[in-house]
Amino acid sequence: MNPDTSLVGKKIRQIREAMGLSRPKFAELLQVPPTTLKNYELGYREVGGAFLVALSQHPELHKYTLWLLSDTTVPEAGQVSPES
């Protein structure tokens, strides 16, 4: 398992949990199969670029983009972490 893949997957799970969504509901929101999301979250599969673009462009999720990709936040620009 690639550590970077696992870290991104864990962050995706944190975002999902912060939104209070089940894995199937979050997968539906991003139009991916629930098993694909599960594989991302558990680090079994590398997160694809198309998924990251979909997440970053989704109106309810784009606020997490900077944190997801660089582990930083800029609250004044609307970029937060799930803990914010």
Side-chain angles (χ1 to χ4, degrees), residues 1 3-4 7-8 16 19 21 28 43-44 46 54 60 71:
M1 179 184 321
D4 294 335
L7 178 61
V8 172
R16 176 178 63 78
M19 300 221 24
L21 296 174
E28 182 181 322
Y44 298 150
E46 187 172 328
E60 295 178 58
D71 211 26

Side-chain angles (χ1 to χ4, degrees), residues 38-55:
K38 178 181 177 182
N39 288 334
Y40 289 163
E41 287 185 358
L42 297 176
Y44 298 150
R45 184 171 172 192
E46 187 172 328
V47 178
F51 179 87
L52 293 174
V53 169
L55 191 147

